[in-house]
Amino acid sequence: MTDPAGLVLTNGRIHSLTEPDEIHGAVAIRDGEIIRVGSSYEIDFLRGARTNVLDLDGAVVLPGFIDAHTHLEQLGRRLVQADLSGTDDIADAIDRLTEERERTDAGWICGYGYDETEWDERRRLTMADLDQVSADRPVVAFREDLHTGSLNSVAFDQFAAEFPEHDVHRENGDPTGVVVEEALNVIHEATTPNATAMRPLIEAARDRAHELGITGVHDFVRNSTAPQVYRALDLADDLGLRVRINYWSDHLDALMELGERTNYGSEFVQTGAIKSFADGSFGGRTAKLSEPYEDGDTGQWVTAPSELAGLIERADANGFQYAVHAIGDVAIETVLERFEGTDDPAVARHRIEHGELLTAELLDAIAQSGVVVSAQPNFLKWAREGGLYEDCLGVDRTGRTNQFRRLLDAGVVLAFGSDCMPMDPLFGVQQAVTAPHERQRLTVTEALRAYTTGGAYAGFAEDRLGTIKAGKRADLVVLDESPWAVPEAAIADIAVTHTIVDGTVVFEQER
Ligand SMILES: [Zn+2]
């Protein structure tokens, strides 16, 4: 007689997302591990007097989502401070920042996530706009991509001496208040909360992740107190989310000194990759292209290729996976060459973050290298007619962005993440399934796999996570409707009713 299960989910449609996908009625869990999947009748035998039973009443269960590229600190800041995403226009954004001014007594007034392409004005926030928020406290509004931000006069004047000149936007010689890249990093550091202030931000972001069915994240951090908070919450057994911390290359020396390497850590908090930026973003016209933007030049390097080569070589030789942000075709090509110079990029599972603009040659080269593409299906919202991609790349190149179909067909491992634009796996799945171009479009199963098994592989955890199978950790999400059954355009509206991490229910929808 086997020991009874601690938790049983029964009367459901449990998709294993293995290859092929199998559908079972029930799953039994003990000590955080899936001990058996089968029919409700079969699993009934594992029920004991103290087994918790969740009757699914036909609901769908999937492996928990893994957001393979995210920034919980940013999400936490947005949840707690001024959220500028989804604002109607510039006046609305100014209103929200003014509310934030009222909420706090002193110091920075921070807003996050504005996207001027959603506004009729179609222009970024300026110094004049933000001076309306405050004339005596520093104000910053970060654009959604975090590579571009807008400052008021107080903030600009206080830090102007530290800004590289090419990262400051000017009109007729005068600063507009818009700064990008390294200049914005100065502001980012100046506004970083200490560990005490960080904890509620991380907890708010973690709770939001649970509401969205996310059971694991690959978080990207730089000069942040977030890692301290992750480890403190983990030690207190209060994290409830699997976090792989990907550290900026600034931290490589310190990590090596401490004897860290990729995959070191606990059940819940592990060291992931070392991260660098090769180029910028389309929104900032700073992603590095072979042909000029519709309204600009060919972008810029954030890390010079020669410097990148040295970093990748050193990290690789010391047991680190490497993740490089590369969006433009020239940046992707260059990063791939640098990865190919390492011992075995497929074994190290080096990653290209975003990998947006691809040529046919690049698709083949990525497939041959074994490098993982960590992509954001939600970015396809910009690939629609008249969207951001068309504005900066034109119609033809827009069709060559985010070629998920082609990547999978070529045999590339695709790990989906959100980059918090917005954090929402089902929204991402819907975008991939309804993509405007055939070479971008995935089936529901493929998109869900990229958000589960893809992330597990990118995190060296495919033996433990990513599918629903006996022996795997019990990270699960329960949905009230089937993503295979609802209209494609309604996948994002499916409600998450339960999120389970390591056998513990961490989120339950209120009824
Ligand atoms: Zn990012």
Side-chain angles (χ1 to χ4, degrees):
M1 177 77 194
T2 27
D3 289 340
L7 174 65
V8 159
L9 276 61
T10 190
N11 288 324
R13 289 180 64 76
I14 296 161
H15 286 259
S16 64
L17 291 188
T18 50
E19 312 238 12
D21 183 28
E22 293 170 8
I23 303 172
H24 299 280
V27 56
I29 296 159
R30 189 196 304 128
D31 298 331
E33 187 185 309
I34 296 169
I35 53 170
R36 194 153 168 205
V37 286
S39 68
S40 297
Y41 174 79
E42 287 168 321
I43 298 299
D44 245 7
F45 292 105
L46 291 164
R47 279 163 72 160
R50 278 191 248 192
T51 303
N52 290 314
V53 178
L54 182 58
D55 188 335
L56 297 165
D57 194 21
V60 166
V61 180
L62 303 174
F65 297 124
I66 298 170
D67 189 334
H69 183 127
T70 202
H71 303 277
L72 292 192
E73 175 187 339
Q74 314 315 326
L75 177 63
R77 288 192 193 204
R78 203 185 283 193
L79 287 168
V80 178
Q81 302 173 335
D83 182 2
L84 304 179
S85 62
T87 40
D88 298 331
D89 50 24
I90 286 174
D92 191 19
I94 292 173
D95 282 350
R96 290 203 201 172
L97 284 160
T98 306
E99 282 168 29
E100 176 64 11
R101 182 194 68 199
E102 301 301 317
R103 192 183 72 84
T104 53
D105 315 327
W108 281 95
I109 299 159
C110 302
Y112 300 91
Y114 83 82
D115 177 2
E116 75 282 357
T117 67
E118 290 176 351
W119 298 336
D120 285 343
E121 295 103 324
R122 289 227 162 202
R123 67 167 179 83
R124 293 171 190 158
L125 291 165
T126 63
M127 202 179 280
D129 295 325
L130 299 182
D131 282 346
Q132 295 174 48
V133 177
S134 179
D136 52 12
R137 289 172 60 187
V139 181
V140 56
F142 291 92
R143 205 184 169 280
E144 189 175 37
D145 61 71
L146 291 174
H147 292 264
T148 305
S150 305
L151 305 173
N152 74 340
S153 300
V154 175
F156 188 90
D157 294 345
Q158 196 180 339
F159 292 94
E162 297 175 46
F163 297 154
E165 191 47 45
H166 59 81
D167 288 343
V168 175
H169 285 201
R170 289 178 187 277
E171 233 172 67
N172 306 320
D174 296 325
T176 60
V178 173
V179 298
V180 299
E181 306 301 341
E182 287 304 315
L184 192 61
N185 285 340
V186 172
I187 299 301
H188 210 269
E189 273 170 46
T191 57
T192 292
N194 64 25
T196 311
M198 182 67 82
R199 189 164 172 146
L201 304 187
I202 293 296
E203 287 173 334
R206 183 265 324 266
D207 294 348
R208 181 84 189 114
H210 286 160
E211 288 167 21
L212 296 163
I214 294 167
T215 55
V217 296
H218 298 180
D219 200 50
F220 287 79
V221 298
R222 179 182 200 174
N223 294 342
S224 170
T225 51
Q228 288 179 51
V229 174
Y230 292 136
R231 295 208 161 89
L233 287 170
D234 188 23
L235 275 172
D237 209 12
D238 202 17
L239 183 56
L241 185 72
R242 294 181 204 278
V243 181
R244 274 178 80 80
I245 308 174
N246 297 289
Y247 295 91
W248 221 279
S249 55
D250 310 9
H251 303 293
L252 176 58
D253 287 330
L255 290 164
M256 279 164 51
E257 230 175 280
L258 294 170
E260 275 288 345
R261 55 196 298 155
T262 289
N263 296 329
Y264 274 12
S266 68
E267 176 74 28
F268 281 91
V269 182
Q270 291 178 347
T271 295
I274 303 298
K275 155 91 182 273
S276 290
F277 274 110
D279 61 350
S281 71
F282 290 139
R285 308 296 189 265
T286 47
K288 195 87 179 122
L289 304 178
S290 56
E291 303 289 331
Y293 286 95
E294 295 291 293
D295 54 357
D297 57 15
T298 55
Q300 67 190 53
W301 294 111
V302 173
T303 310
S306 56
E307 192 189 335
L308 196 58
L311 284 166
I312 291 173
E313 196 186 299
R314 214 148 55 85
D316 182 79
N318 285 281
F320 287 99
Q321 180 186 29
Y322 217 100
V324 186
H325 164 121
I327 287 180
D329 53 352
V330 171
I332 296 166
E333 185 181 3
T334 304
V335 169
L336 209 52
E337 283 168 14
R338 299 301 175 269
F339 280 157
E340 280 164 354
T342 63
D343 208 17
D344 190 339
V347 169
R349 303 191 190 182
H350 294 316
R351 313 167 33 144
I352 291 176
E353 303 304 311
H354 315 308
E356 284 168 66
L357 186 60
L358 295 170
T359 59
E361 298 76 52
L362 278 173
L363 281 162
D364 288 342
I366 293 170
Q368 263 164 34
S369 70
V371 163
V372 174
V373 175
S374 158
Q376 290 68 42
N378 37 319
F379 290 3
L380 286 169
K381 67 184 174 177
W382 299 315
R384 314 278 161 180
E385 215 182 311
L388 168 74
Y389 284 139
E390 276 189 18
D391 281 359
C392 58
L393 300 173
V395 174
D396 189 47
R397 281 185 294 184
T398 294
R400 290 198 280 112
T401 60
N402 304 295
Q403 298 186 54
F404 306 143
R405 161 93 279 124
R406 293 283 167 92
L407 283 163
L408 279 193
D409 288 349
V412 174
V413 176
L414 202 53
F416 274 170
S418 71
D419 212 359
C420 289
M421 299 188 215
M423 180 190 252
D424 190 343
L426 287 172
F427 175 75
V429 168
Q430 177 177 317
Q431 289 294 318
V433 170
T434 62
H437 299 272
E438 182 272 330
R439 49 167 84 101
Q440 300 167 326
R441 210 173 303 137
L442 299 183
T443 66
V444 170
T445 309
E446 288 167 336
L448 289 172
R449 280 201 182 111
Y451 244 124
T452 51
T453 56
Y457 180 86
F460 294 84
E462 70 275 18
D463 293 339
R464 301 166 55 239
L465 309 172
T467 57
I468 301 179
K469 225 173 117 174
K472 292 222 170 174
R473 302 313 297 172
D475 291 2
L476 308 167
V477 54
V478 184
L479 306 178
D480 77 339
E481 286 179 289
S482 168
W484 289 271
V486 300
E488 287 173 348
I491 291 173
D493 303 328
I494 295 173
V496 170
T497 63
H498 297 78
T499 303
I500 297 169
V501 176
D502 216 47
T504 301
V505 177
V506 294
F507 167 72
E508 190 173 351
Q509 189 191 41
E510 285 176 33
R511 289 161 191 270

